[in-house]
Amino acid sequence: MRVLRGWWRNSRSRRRANMAATTTTLLTRSFINFLSISSPLSLQVPLRSFHTSLTACKYPNWKMIKEVKHRKIVKEFAFERMNINALRKNKIIPPAIQEIADKEIHALPRKSSISQLHKRCMLTSRPRGLVTRWRLSRIVWRHEADYNKLSGVQRAMW
Amino acid sequence: MAASLFPRASRALHLVLNGYVLRPQHQVRAFCKIPPDDEKSNAEKQEQTEGGSMTALEVEKPLLEERPQPSQMVQEVCAGGEGGKLKEGKLTSQKAVERVIEEDQVAVKQSLPEEKLETAKDKRASAQKKLNDLLKSLASADPMPMEPPLKLSKPKARQKKPINLDIQDQDSELPQPDEPVIEPELLSATREVAESLGGDVAATESELLSTLRSHTVNGSNDGKSSIDWSDLFVGMKVERTQSKPAEALPRRRRHHQDPSAQRTIFGDGVPNKKSLPRTITRPDPRTLARVDIFGAECLGIFTGESSKVSKSAVPASSSLVVWEAARKRELQQCVYHPPDNSFTEMIQWTKQGKLWVFPIDNEVGLEEEKSVGFHEHVFLGHHLDGWCPQRGPIRHFMELVCTGLSKNPYMTVERKRAHLEWYKNYFKEKEELLKELGAIEATP
């Protein structure tokens, strides 16, 4: 998990996210002070504790965030899409109904299609060179493997 | 001081003191430096003082008798120790004691009017006596020094009352009944608590009452145990030490305060830090009036209703949504403590479900599925009954769907039924089209 933080810190997007977070805290610090004065409880809020559940703080990239939203839409329509596709991809159902099914699936949002998704590395948001099973880019994968963080992964020698 | 310098003499004195018997002053014939004429005059004067003192202060009589002891003892010691060398032999130990006595006697010699003489001599006699006692105590090597027969008033031993927790008992003396008495208010309160808790009301109520009874019994036992302690101490020996009277202490404080107050006034105008008393003089609890808190009726000032009123002043359904949310978050953060180290952080994540739980279990999250039998997963044909036609392409398709779903172990039974339900609805919408196509046989 510490290595995760390292990638997290170094990426450009994270720096932007940090900047955004600090600005938000600057706006909210006075807000917090006001609250602390008004309330009897003494607030011991650590730095950048407000607005930590923002999507921007969780992912390294805005592209990654768009990808996440894409996946949510895919999940939403997955059930319907599977059923309609089952009707389409067989030779039993009459073709008239299959044509109707084609139209129906075309009517669904484009982003609900799994094939439209583009995988990215979870830590660096790299679009290419991914190791699918670990959802990591090859560089990160190599780094983690060298530090013995990947279970069952070993340097190949034969 | 003299004893440390002259150990032999001190030891001798010690021996003598233990077995010494008082002799009146007039019988003493001191072999000392002072010429006999002066001695006689001194003796006469002392006798006079003695006579005077008898009427005035009876206390000082034995003191005066004791006065010439050290000189006598020293003489006797010398006589016993060195035979007949007394008159010539002037032991240094004698000298020290004698000088002191001479000084006193010289002081006594000084002429004064008779009336004043008597009072002055009384004072001096008492002073001398005290001096002699001091010397005595120094000379003696006893671990427990003899107490001078000065009778000083001591404070009376105060009897501590046992603490009464029950309000009712304060009014009357401690009743010691065989069964512990519980107030009716407490009984009603226990009933309410038991009802609010729910479950077995009678059992909870009985438990609460039993605990109450045990507490009341403990209270009465504490009162009894205080008596037992004193019984314990009967057989034990106690060291007796000269304790200072308690009344002397407050007097001292007052003396210290008055001059310090004067200093602050006449000084620079700024109160001196040194002059101020370091310790805060608390009022003597004995002088304060005893207040009975539960004597009068409750005024109802601090019942907490005012605080509730102030809270309800701002309506709950106000437009300050963000503020309310922030306040809630603040409260959460006051309770929430961030992890101390990475270990606690990982524990937190495991609890949240972000980390694997070790040892790894493949069926994590599928606990409910264990209760579902395989027959519900496999035999899905009965879901087709009622709506699906017996023959035709649709039946064929649906049977394939059922076969595929039955082979899928990763889906829940509810999801499988939902799939079948969806198809049912879909074909119902397309019923007319299907009939036109001839997929569905028109049932008469």
Side-chain angles (χ1 to χ4, degrees):
Chain A
M1 282 299 179
R2 282 191 183 273
V3 183
L4 200 156
R5 290 233 184 80
W7 293 107
W8 191 267
R9 225 179 276 126
N10 295 334
S11 62
R12 228 192 299 163
S13 57
R14 182 58 183 160
R15 269 181 245 137
R16 280 181 200 159
N18 289 358
M19 292 279 282
T22 48
T23 50
T24 51
T25 49
L26 281 166
L27 290 166
T28 52
R29 266 200 172 268
S30 56
F31 181 56
I32 291 155
N33 287 331
F34 181 85
L35 279 174
S36 64
I37 288 155
S38 60
S39 68
L41 300 162
S42 63
L43 194 64
Q44 291 171 357
V45 179
L47 272 171
R48 286 193 275 107
S49 66
F50 244 87
H51 298 295
T52 45
S53 61
L54 289 168
T55 323
C57 301
K58 290 179 186 174
Y59 300 103
N61 218 346
W62 283 104
K63 291 180 189 174
M64 185 88 165
I65 291 156
K66 282 167 85 179
E67 189 69 25
V68 167
K69 288 178 187 173
H70 198 165
R71 281 169 197 277
K72 283 180 185 170
I73 294 160
V74 166
K75 186 179 175 180
E76 196 187 325
F77 290 98
F79 183 81
E80 236 178 280
R81 249 193 135 82
M82 187 210 246
N83 293 332
I84 293 163
N85 262 334
L87 283 166
R88 285 169 68 232
K89 306 293 180 183
N90 66 73
K91 294 177 181 176
I92 302 157
I93 298 284
I97 290 173
Q98 281 182 346
E99 283 166 19
I100 295 160
D102 289 341
K103 287 169 190 173
E104 279 177 4
I105 205 163
H106 191 76
L108 289 172
R110 186 178 68 81
K111 288 196 173 178
S112 63
S113 167
I114 294 165
S115 55
Q116 288 287 320
L117 291 171
H118 200 89
K119 292 177 191 174
R120 283 182 175 271
C121 171
M122 293 308 292
L123 301 186
T124 53
S125 178
R126 197 164 194 273
R128 295 193 179 89
L130 298 175
V131 186
T132 307
R133 198 174 175 191
W134 287 268
R135 303 180 192 178
L136 297 172
S137 80
R138 58 179 176 79
I139 302 150
V140 177
W141 190 95
R142 225 174 88 91
H143 182 276
E144 300 288 297
D146 286 341
Y147 281 93
N148 203 22
K149 302 290 172 68
L150 303 178
S151 173
V153 174
Q154 193 187 9
R155 280 261 171 184
M157 265 193 301
W158 71 97
Chain B
M1 36 170 206
S4 62
L5 290 167
F6 312 112
R8 257 192 236 165
S10 64
R11 264 180 254 146
L13 270 171
H14 167 69
L15 284 166
V16 167
L17 269 170
N18 283 330
Y20 191 67
V21 176
L22 291 172
R23 283 185 198 177
Q25 215 272 318
H26 64 273
Q27 287 179 3
V28 173
R29 188 78 189 138
F31 298 100
C32 58
K33 266 188 181 177
I34 299 159
D37 294 332
D38 294 323
E39 273 188 13
K40 277 180 185 172
S41 67
N42 283 333
E44 285 170 5
K45 281 171 187 173
Q46 280 161 6
E47 281 173 13
Q48 282 174 7
T49 54
E50 270 190 350
S53 72
M54 281 278 281
T55 53
L57 299 158
E58 291 176 27
V59 177
E60 288 193 347
K61 191 190 169 184
L63 308 181
L64 287 165
E65 287 177 354
E66 283 176 25
R67 221 200 320 140
Q69 273 180 14
S71 61
Q72 279 181 343
M73 283 179 301
V74 169
Q75 303 301 326
E76 284 184 359
V77 161
C78 295
E82 300 184 19
K85 285 187 185 177
L86 245 186
K87 291 175 188 177
E88 291 178 359
K90 291 165 189 177
L91 289 171
T92 47
S93 61
Q94 278 185 54
K95 274 185 188 176
V97 177
E98 283 168 9
R99 271 172 197 169
V100 172
I101 295 155
E102 280 170 28
E103 283 169 10
D104 289 334
Q105 288 172 347
V106 163
V108 170
K109 270 189 196 175
Q110 285 170 13
S111 59
L112 287 164
E114 280 195 3
E115 291 176 357
K116 283 189 183 177
L117 243 180
E118 286 185 1
T119 52
K121 275 182 184 174
D122 289 337
K123 284 181 189 173
R124 278 162 193 162
S126 65
Q128 257 197 354
K129 195 265 152 191
K130 278 179 187 171
L131 223 185
N132 291 332
D133 289 331
L134 226 190
L135 288 167
K136 241 195 288 174
S137 64
L138 288 165
S140 68
D142 268 346
M144 297 226 306
M146 264 167 60
E147 288 179 2
L150 275 168
K151 286 180 189 175
L152 300 164
S153 61
K154 288 178 186 174
K156 291 177 188 176
R158 296 174 67 217
Q159 290 176 356
K160 285 186 182 178
K161 287 183 187 175
I163 298 158
N164 293 328
L165 292 168
D166 294 330
I167 297 155
Q168 286 182 349
D169 289 333
Q170 278 183 355
D171 297 327
S172 62
E173 288 187 355
L174 266 177
Q176 294 178 357
D178 296 328
E179 290 176 2
V181 177
I182 301 166
E183 294 170 65
E185 288 175 4
L186 282 169
L187 285 168
S188 62
T190 50
R191 235 172 270 152
E192 283 171 22
V193 165
E195 281 167 20
S196 68
L197 283 169
D200 197 1
V201 174
T204 52
E205 200 188 324
S206 66
E207 277 178 22
L208 287 165
L209 286 169
S210 67
T211 51
L212 274 169
R213 273 184 211 126
S214 69
H215 280 303
T216 52
V217 164
N218 283 334
S220 64
N221 277 340
D222 286 333
K224 285 176 187 172
S225 66
S226 65
I227 298 157
D228 292 334
W229 280 113
S230 63
D231 290 333
L232 278 170
F233 282 129
V234 160
M236 287 166 68
K237 288 187 182 179
V238 182
E239 271 191 358
R240 287 181 189 176
T241 54
Q242 196 179 20
S243 60
K244 285 183 183 177
E247 291 170 5
L249 289 167
R251 282 177 203 163
R252 269 189 214 164
R253 280 178 188 172
R254 285 170 208 165
H255 282 298
H256 280 300
Q257 272 175 10
D258 292 330
S260 69
Q262 283 176 1
R263 271 175 218 164
T264 51
I265 291 157
F266 295 112
D268 301 329
V270 177
N272 300 327
K273 280 186 183 177
K274 290 180 184 176
S275 64
L276 289 166
R278 283 181 189 175
T279 54
I280 299 158
T281 55
R282 289 174 194 168
D284 198 11
R286 281 175 271 171
T287 57
L288 289 172
R290 292 196 184 275
V291 181
D292 187 19
I293 297 161
F294 301 104
E297 280 181 13
C298 180
L299 292 166
I301 296 164
F302 303 108
T303 49
E305 287 172 3
S306 59
S307 63
K308 287 172 194 172
V309 167
S310 67
K311 278 181 187 173
S312 66
V314 175
S317 61
S318 64
S319 62
L320 305 167
V321 175
V322 175
W323 291 85
E324 292 293 317
R327 196 189 178 80
K328 275 184 188 174
R329 194 189 168 82
E330 186 188 329
L331 284 169
Q332 278 173 10
Q333 284 182 334
C334 288
V335 173
Y336 168 75
H337 297 286
D340 301 323
N341 51 49
S342 58
F343 290 114
T344 50
E345 197 181 32
M346 286 168 91
I347 289 161
Q348 211 175 64
W349 283 337
T350 311
K351 282 178 187 173
Q352 287 169 7
K354 290 178 183 175
L355 276 183
W356 286 103
V357 179
F358 290 94
I360 300 289
D361 184 20
N362 283 326
E363 290 174 5
V364 168
L366 300 171
E367 285 87 18
E368 291 175 14
E369 282 298 306
K370 288 175 190 175
S371 62
V372 178
F374 80 96
H375 57 279
E376 290 180 53
H377 280 276
V378 174
F379 302 116
L380 300 162
H382 60 276
H383 291 107
L384 300 174
D385 297 337
W387 63 274
C388 195
Q390 301 300 322
R391 283 166 205 165
I394 289 162
R395 182 82 195 187
H396 192 184
F397 175 75
M398 289 313 300
E399 278 181 1
L400 287 171
V401 166
C402 291
T403 317
L405 287 171
S406 66
K407 287 181 180 180
N408 189 338
Y410 307 109
M411 244 192 236
T412 55
V413 175
E414 288 81 27
R415 197 177 166 91
K416 289 180 186 177
R417 285 176 198 168
H419 275 291
L420 296 169
E421 195 65 32
W422 187 89
Y423 278 116
K424 178 184 169 183
N425 293 329
Y426 187 81
F427 288 126
K428 203 170 181 183
E429 289 170 14
K430 309 284 185 293
E431 202 175 353
E432 292 171 2
L433 177 64
L434 286 166
K435 280 178 185 175
E436 282 178 36
L437 292 168
I440 297 169
E441 288 174 4
T443 53

